[in-house]
Amino acid sequence: GNSERALKIFNEIIQSKLQNHRIFLNLITCNKLIKEMGNHGHLSTCEAIIDRMNTISTSFPYLTPNLITYSTFISRAGNWKKVSLAQQYFDLLIEKGHIPDDYTFNALINAYVKVNDMKSALHTLTKMIEEYNILPTITTMNTLLDGFGRIGQIDSGVKLLQKFLPDGAGSMDQHTYSALIHGYCIVNQLDKAEEYLTAMIDRGFKNCIEGYSLLINAYGQAGQIHHAYRVYELMKQQGQRPNRIIITS
């Protein structure tokens, strides 16, 4: 497949460099290759590339995997729900002497959230704060909100949001509102979900189609067709175009 061919070409380039051929290859290129292979789920290829980079680092120090290399792979492993692999490479980057940053921690937290392991996600959050003195960003909070929302514990996510975002609504972005709407729809607290939809609109966010879709669908599933239609009419008044999900609902 394409991953095998990419790895073969990569190894041929490395071999050529070892033979002192003038072939250009830098760390940015290697990291981009890991990113693209990871995006398509070719994680074993990514591992082979990182392993090869470590092997040749004595001859080519500038190709030594850096924090971006490991963080990129952790992120891709997490997206494909390979949590143990993400944790393995998180531990490896620390072993190699790298200091994880907020992107690295967010990637690992996201990996645990993907498999609904909120206990490990919170453990990682605590490690980030207490051991590395890194405060959670809005990206961190959105990831945790998504996770708690999906398992029907959106109130736990809201408590975290209130604890770590002292600016409150001022720190919330469109993803935050969508996560809150989704979470409250899952537990059938549709009045609360609509409050956050209204707040999102009042904040001036232009493309609120996801929020409308979630709420209209939830009202429809609850048999509250008149409320679903009311939100649909509000959406049209705001100049939002319905998507296929809304029309089906």
Side-chain angles (χ1 to χ4, degrees), residues 56-74:
I56 65 170
S57 61
T58 52
S59 299
F60 305 106
Y62 58 88
L63 292 180
T64 303
N66 62 3
L67 178 62
I68 295 174
T69 310
Y70 291 110
S71 297
T72 299
F73 181 70
I74 292 167

Side-chain angles (χ1 to χ4, degrees), residues 154 158 161-162 172 176-178 180-181 184 190-202:
I154 187 62
V158 171
L161 195 67
Q162 293 170 341
M172 292 162 57
T176 316
Y177 285 105
S178 293
L180 289 165
I181 294 166
Y184 280 110
L190 303 187
D191 290 344
K192 195 73 173 176
E194 189 161 349
E195 284 181 21
Y196 281 110
L197 175 61
T198 301
M200 179 166 63
I201 296 167
D202 290 344

Side-chain angles (χ1 to χ4, degrees), residues 149-221:
R150 283 203 303 270
I151 64 173
Q153 297 179 16
I154 187 62
D155 284 336
S156 296
V158 171
K159 288 178 182 178
L160 276 178
L161 195 67
Q162 293 170 341
K163 180 178 180 180
F164 291 112
L165 292 183
D167 292 340
S171 303
M172 292 162 57
D173 61 16
Q174 193 158 332
H175 188 152
T176 316
Y177 285 105
S178 293
L180 289 165
I181 294 166
H182 188 214
Y184 280 110
C185 283
I186 285 177
V187 295
N188 205 33
Q189 294 186 35
L190 303 187
D191 290 344
K192 195 73 173 176
E194 189 161 349
E195 284 181 21
Y196 281 110
L197 175 61
T198 301
M200 179 166 63
I201 296 167
D202 290 344
R203 282 283 308 278
F205 292 111
K206 300 299 182 184
N207 185 14
C208 303
I209 196 69
E210 182 180 3
Y212 285 114
S213 300
L214 290 167
L215 191 55
I216 290 170
N217 183 59
Y219 275 132
Q221 290 183 345

Side-chain angles (χ1 to χ4, degrees), residues 1-244:
N2 289 336
S3 63
E4 293 176 354
R5 184 167 180 270
L7 182 58
K8 181 181 178 182
I9 293 172
F10 178 79
N11 282 325
E12 287 175 352
I13 292 173
I14 296 301
Q15 191 61 38
S16 295
K17 288 189 73 63
L18 289 171
Q19 294 171 358
N20 294 320
H21 293 170
R22 290 181 176 276
I23 295 179
F24 179 76
L25 181 68
N26 61 20
L27 188 56
I28 293 175
T29 305
C30 294
N31 289 343
K32 284 184 177 179
L33 182 59
I34 291 167
K35 177 181 177 181
E36 291 306 314
M37 289 291 103
N39 285 344
H40 291 87
H42 303 306
L43 300 180
S44 59
T45 300
C46 296
E47 287 188 273
I49 292 171
I50 294 172
D51 184 61
R52 190 77 164 111
M53 290 166 68
N54 275 315
T55 301
I56 65 170
S57 61
T58 52
S59 299
F60 305 106
Y62 58 88
L63 292 180
T64 303
N66 62 3
L67 178 62
I68 295 174
T69 310
Y70 291 110
S71 297
T72 299
F73 181 70
I74 292 167
S75 174
R76 272 61 193 174
N79 286 342
W80 289 95
K81 299 184 179 181
K82 302 296 183 181
V83 183
S84 59
L85 197 58
Q87 183 66 61
Q88 176 188 332
Y89 274 79
F90 180 87
D91 295 339
L92 179 61
L93 78 85
I94 293 175
E95 180 185 316
K96 294 287 186 180
H98 300 292
I99 299 176
D101 59 12
D102 62 318
Y103 177 84
T104 315
F105 276 107
N106 287 341
L108 186 58
I109 289 171
N110 180 62
Y112 284 115
V113 167
K114 287 280 186 182
V115 296
N116 297 330
D117 185 355
M118 299 308 297
K119 181 178 179 180
S120 295
L122 289 177
H123 174 77
T124 305
L125 176 69
T126 301
K127 184 183 184 75
M128 176 178 79
I129 296 169
E130 294 184 357
E131 295 185 26
Y132 289 88
N133 199 30
I134 299 174
L135 293 177
T137 64
I138 188 62
T139 301
T140 317
M141 290 295 97
N142 289 344
T143 300
L144 290 166
L145 272 179
D146 281 334
F148 279 115
R150 283 203 303 270
I151 64 173
Q153 297 179 16
I154 187 62
D155 284 336
S156 296
V158 171
K159 288 178 182 178
L160 276 178
L161 195 67
Q162 293 170 341
K163 180 178 180 180
F164 291 112
L165 292 183
D167 292 340
S171 303
M172 292 162 57
D173 61 16
Q174 193 158 332
H175 188 152
T176 316
Y177 285 105
S178 293
L180 289 165
I181 294 166
H182 188 214
Y184 280 110
C185 283
I186 285 177
V187 295
N188 205 33
Q189 294 186 35
L190 303 187
D191 290 344
K192 195 73 173 176
E194 189 161 349
E195 284 181 21
Y196 281 110
L197 175 61
T198 301
M200 179 166 63
I201 296 167
D202 290 344
R203 282 283 308 278
F205 292 111
K206 300 299 182 184
N207 185 14
C208 303
I209 196 69
E210 182 180 3
Y212 285 114
S213 300
L214 290 167
L215 191 55
I216 290 170
N217 183 59
Y219 275 132
Q221 290 183 345
Q224 301 181 37
I225 306 303
H226 61 294
H227 283 309
Y229 185 73
R230 175 178 55 77
V231 176
Y232 174 72
E233 287 297 312
L234 174 63
M235 180 192 68
K236 292 198 298 182
Q237 291 172 14
Q238 295 291 327
Q240 303 285 315
R241 297 182 61 182
N243 58 22
R244 186 164 57 88

